């Protein structure tokens, strides 16, 4: 690796599996000291051990980002302390996706999905962005989703939370950018780790795309490294589609 994030201090939420794990591993491989966070300590310790075995720097902080300001502030404080008092990069990746349609969502599920997917990153950003600015700058990378802009007849609740995150990306870019904190987002297509028991239910949604396949967590991580690093120093408030062309082009079978 080229150490594009050498000596940077990063927090990646929801980084014990899938996209979050790949981002944490990619950041560490590029020279960053990474705080891996999530609810499952066993999986978190496994990610940290793997990073350290490859010569990287990582620590695990257990947290349940339930949407309360207290939980987000506690994570901000713990991660900053573990990283020696400074944090340069925040990746708001943690989220939940309960399968549902509009008529099958109950109020408890609605509130929980918005709490985890929107409130938690909102208050985490509120806790960390001012400190980043005071320290000279930083980068925030949010995770959106292709279904926030290309409607499908299921998952209205989840897609609306990702739409909120993409809107917050633009608002935060305007709010924090002048103080040196760049805010951008990635909008992944259908992405998952290789499966040994057949196709993923969402795989069909990538049929008819230029890529013609699902994405890998590592492909999203490459985009996160770019947006977090100095190479993207003139990039503010964008949503970078890394979706195999799902939202931009259709391939017509002949």
């Amino acid at each position: 690796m080229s150490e594009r994030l050498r000596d940077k201090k990063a927090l990646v939420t929801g980084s014990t599996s899938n996209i979050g794990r790949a981002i944490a591993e990619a950041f560490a491989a590029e020279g960053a000291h990474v705080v891996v966070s999530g609810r499952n300590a066993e999986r978190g310790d496994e990610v940290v051990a793997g990073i350290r075995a490859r010569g990287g720097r990582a620590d695990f902080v257990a947290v349940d980002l339930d949407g309360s300001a207290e939980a987000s502030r506690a994570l901000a404080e713990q991660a900053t302390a573990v990283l020696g008092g400074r944090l340069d990069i925040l990746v708001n990746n943690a989220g939940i996706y309960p399968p549902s349609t509009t008529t099958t969502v109950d109020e408890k599920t609605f509130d929980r999905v918005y709490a985890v997917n929107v409130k938690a990153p909102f208050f985490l950003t509120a806790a960390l962005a001012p400190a980043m600015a005071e320290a000279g700058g930083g980068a925030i990378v949010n995770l959106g989703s292709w279904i926030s802009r290309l409607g499908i007849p299921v998952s209205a609740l989840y897609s609306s939370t990702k739409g909120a995150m993409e809107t917050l990306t633009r608002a935060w870019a305007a709010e924090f950018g002048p103080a040196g904190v760049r805010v951008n987002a990635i909008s992944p297509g259908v992405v998952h780790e290789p499966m040994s028991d057949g196709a993923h239910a969402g795989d069909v949604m990538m049929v008819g795309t230029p890529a013609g396949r699902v994405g890998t967590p590592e492909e999203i991580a490459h985009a996160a490294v770019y947006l977090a690093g100095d190479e993207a120093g003139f990039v503010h408030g964008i949503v970078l589609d890394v979706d195999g062309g799902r939202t931009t082009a259709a391939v017509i079978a002949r």
Side-chain angles (χ1 to χ4, degrees), residues 50 63 152 163 166 171 173 184 216 242 251:
V63 63
I152 61 174
E166 294 186 6
N184 294 288
T216 68
V242 188
V251 176

Side-chain angles (χ1 to χ4, degrees), residues 49-137:
I51 289 173
R52 290 177 177 176
R54 293 185 290 273
R57 293 174 295 167
D59 292 279
F60 175 68
V61 174
V63 63
D64 181 5
L65 287 174
D66 59 6
S68 66
E70 291 79 8
S72 292
R73 290 170 187 153
L75 175 58
E77 292 173 2
Q78 292 177 60
T80 301
V82 166
L83 294 170
R86 189 186 92 237
L87 194 144
D88 306 299
I89 303 165
L90 166 64
V91 179
N92 284 312
N93 168 74
I96 56 175
Y97 184 171
S100 62
T101 61
T102 300
T103 57
T104 60
V105 172
D106 57 47
E107 185 176 8
K108 182 178 179 180
T109 299
F110 184 100
D111 290 343
R112 173 157 171 73
V113 174
Y114 262 86
V116 175
N117 293 9
V118 182
K119 282 185 67 180
F122 184 95
F123 286 110
L124 187 57
T125 298
L128 288 172
M132 287 182 179
E134 187 176 348

Side-chain angles (χ1 to χ4, degrees), residues 172-184:
W172 287 339
E175 184 175 355
F176 300 119
V181 180
R182 295 185 303 103
V183 186
N184 294 288

